[in-house]
Amino acid sequence: MRSMPFICLVVTFILLTQASPADATNDYFLPGDAFFPSKLRLKDLKQHEQGAEPVFNYNYICELAFCGYAGYSQLKLDKQNSELAQNIRKAYSYIRQRQPIRLVPKKFVKNPGTKQGLPNLENFNEINSLSIFFYNADHDWQSWKIAIKYNENWREEMKKFINAGSYCAFVKTTPALNHSQEQGKNVPPLNVELPEEDIRARHR
């Protein structure tokens, strides 16, 4: 299906609020990464309909460390990407026609109730959310593999947030890690607009 995965042209990142010095970190998107991974849930998409600039959370897949944070945890589509945001919602609905949503009630909810003809999503967990990867529109799908970060400068980018840390690869196999390091300089990073605020000042 040619419309998947989704492509993003211009995006804005919202800075993660806290980060502390650590050897082991929860590293999110770092400038230079080739893509931004997220999850699609009906609850979030309903919230996106209420605003002109929807926000997507980073899909963190590594084991959580309780030592600190580095990078950007959220992606915001600006108004010029409104058509992309609409297409994402349409694609979610299209996929759900073939893969129905699976909701599990949260604990200690006595009356799930309904909201606008649907179950009250605040009382449920969506256990089969869909994955989405934001790439540049001109990303070369034929030459470069999906879900590899291709960020050869991740150490320098991470040091802007913390003194030291380890890099969480989305694909952890040895061939994928070697390929990412060897070819990173040849793969353009995701085209983003970063916050203007000073990172170090934010994290003191």
Side-chain angles (χ1 to χ4, degrees):
M1 183 170 60
R2 296 184 63 84
S3 61
M4 299 286 287
F6 305 107
I7 305 297
C8 184
L9 300 178
V10 180
V11 297
T12 300
F13 285 94
I14 300 174
L15 187 64
L16 187 67
T17 56
Q18 294 292 330
S20 57
D23 293 327
T25 60
N26 302 308
D27 55 292
Y28 296 89
F29 176 89
L30 291 174
D33 288 354
F35 67 94
F36 185 100
S38 185
K39 286 283 190 180
L40 293 180
R41 300 181 303 169
L42 181 59
K43 173 184 174 181
D44 299 325
L45 294 180
K46 290 296 182 182
Q47 294 177 348
H48 292 171
E49 293 176 353
Q50 308 304 317
E53 297 185 332
V55 174
F56 295 83
N57 293 313
Y58 191 92
N59 179 24
Y60 190 82
I61 63 168
C62 296
E63 182 178 354
L64 288 174
F66 299 96
C67 301
Y69 301 86
Y72 300 89
S73 66
Q74 293 182 310
L75 174 151
K76 181 172 66 176
L77 295 183
D78 56 19
K79 293 181 180 179
Q80 64 181 322
N81 278 299
S82 59
E83 183 177 355
L84 173 62
Q86 293 175 6
N87 288 338
I88 289 174
R89 293 194 292 270
K90 290 178 182 178
Y92 179 91
S93 299
Y94 178 81
I95 294 172
R96 282 293 178 235
Q97 294 176 15
R98 291 153 179 78
Q99 299 178 8
I101 189 172
R102 296 176 60 191
L103 299 174
V104 175
K106 295 180 179 178
K107 293 182 179 179
F108 310 115
V109 176
K110 295 182 179 179
N111 181 16
T114 60
K115 186 176 183 180
Q116 298 180 347
L118 294 171
N120 186 346
L121 298 175
E122 297 295 332
N123 296 327
F124 289 85
N125 290 318
E126 183 174 342
I127 61 174
N128 64 335
S129 57
L130 307 180
S131 295
I132 178 172
F133 292 77
F134 290 90
Y135 278 90
N136 293 329
D138 59 353
H139 184 81
D140 188 347
W141 305 101
Q142 303 299 321
S143 300
W144 312 117
K145 300 180 184 299
I146 303 301
I148 294 182
K149 293 183 177 181
Y150 292 111
N151 189 348
E152 78 277 17
N153 295 318
W154 67 266
R155 291 181 180 84
E156 290 75 15
E157 293 296 336
M158 184 174 289
K159 288 178 181 178
K160 296 177 182 178
F161 296 87
I162 59 175
N163 296 326
S166 58
Y167 194 41
C168 175
F170 208 83
V171 181
K172 305 176 181 64
T173 64
T174 299
L177 295 174
N178 291 338
H179 180 67
S180 177
Q181 182 176 3
E182 294 169 358
Q183 299 298 323
K185 62 181 179 297
N186 299 319
V187 181
L190 180 63
N191 182 24
V192 298
E193 178 183 340
L194 299 176
E196 295 181 357
E197 60 189 306
D198 181 73
I199 294 175
R200 286 294 182 182
R202 180 69 176 267
H203 295 158
R204 286 174 183 169

